[in-house]
Amino acid sequence: MLVESPPEQRAETAPAPPTRRAVRAFGLLLSVALLVLVALASIAIGAKELSLGQVWHGLFQDSGTYGDVVVAERVSRTLLGLLAGAALGLAGAVLQALTRNPLADPGLLGINAGASAAVVTAITYFGVTSLSGYVWFAFFGAAAVGALVWFLGGSRGATPVRLALAGTAVSAALYGYLQAVMIMDEAALGKMRFWTVGSLASATNSTITQVLPFLLAGTVLALALARPLNAMAMGDDTAKALGADLNRTRALSMLAATVLCGAATAACGPIVFVGLMVPHVVRSFTGPDLRWILPYAAILSPVLLLGADVIGRIVARPSELQVGIVTAILGGPVFIFLVRRRRTAQL
């Protein structure tokens, strides 16, 4: 006769379900694997068709042939896409936490507008023509506008609403200035058209070297802010009770977002929707904990950016479509969907 085990014993011998932490960690590993695959596709696939043999030769046996040169250019382009994508994703996640607005993006605080206005000023009034020349103007413009928005938002008394309103007002003024200068100066218009849509095509090792220190510093700062931003998400009073310094956290969050978005914009131009879409989507399966949102955003944002860049190379062969255009085409419908879903959830 079979004797059935008591319920307590069956419970002890049954395999324990995986914890949410383990599931998140496994998902992070899958995200890294996906990023590696997309990066390899970015090197192997382009507007100019190369065989896998040529790609392999260009990666490991560079002899200066046409294929090797193309592969070297794609490697630089892929590296910049990895760095810029991670920066935009982290900046978006930090700004969404700072403003408590899940639909916020780096453009909300005027950072993109500041970089764009600085570049058009450099081209029109200082005769700067090379990417390596106006990278610094773009970064300075982004940093200056970030500081201005922080000041207009109340500095130490800044609140999410004040920062968002100040950023919107400054962005409107700067985009008006940008359009006026470009209309009056046809040469500036011609030079700015390519930069303003956002592109990885001009990536060089020099550009990567110039922005890398800022991207690394911004990344470290953003990841370090996960805990205090988590506390702030529960409300100012609760955050103070938990020991969070609200003014310092807001100031450092502004600094991290400005450094990350400013450096990425300086190198690639203003690329939209990456900093909006990825953190918002990530939050849907990680929950509100920024200790998970930030690493996921840093990994999956380059997946989106490089994937969009590969699509842009394929659809317009033998030419190519700039990545900023592709992300805008993909991001528009997604943004509408997110807004409608959020509105339905509130009803």
Side-chain angles (χ1 to χ4, degrees), residues 195-238:
W195 187 83
T196 53
V197 297
S199 175
L200 299 175
S202 300
T204 62
N205 292 332
S206 174
T207 303
I208 295 171
T209 302
Q210 290 178 55
V211 300
L212 182 60
F214 299 102
L215 294 175
L216 292 177
T219 298
V220 172
L221 180 57
L223 294 175
L225 288 169
R227 288 183 181 274
L229 284 174
N230 275 343
M232 285 180 58
M234 294 183 285
D236 290 356
D237 293 337
T238 304

Side-chain angles (χ1 to χ4, degrees), residues 267-289:
C268 310
I271 297 175
V272 296
F273 286 118
V274 174
L276 164 66
M277 285 191 293
V278 176
H280 191 86
V281 172
V282 164
R283 192 180 296 106
S284 67
F285 59 83
T286 64
D289 191 346

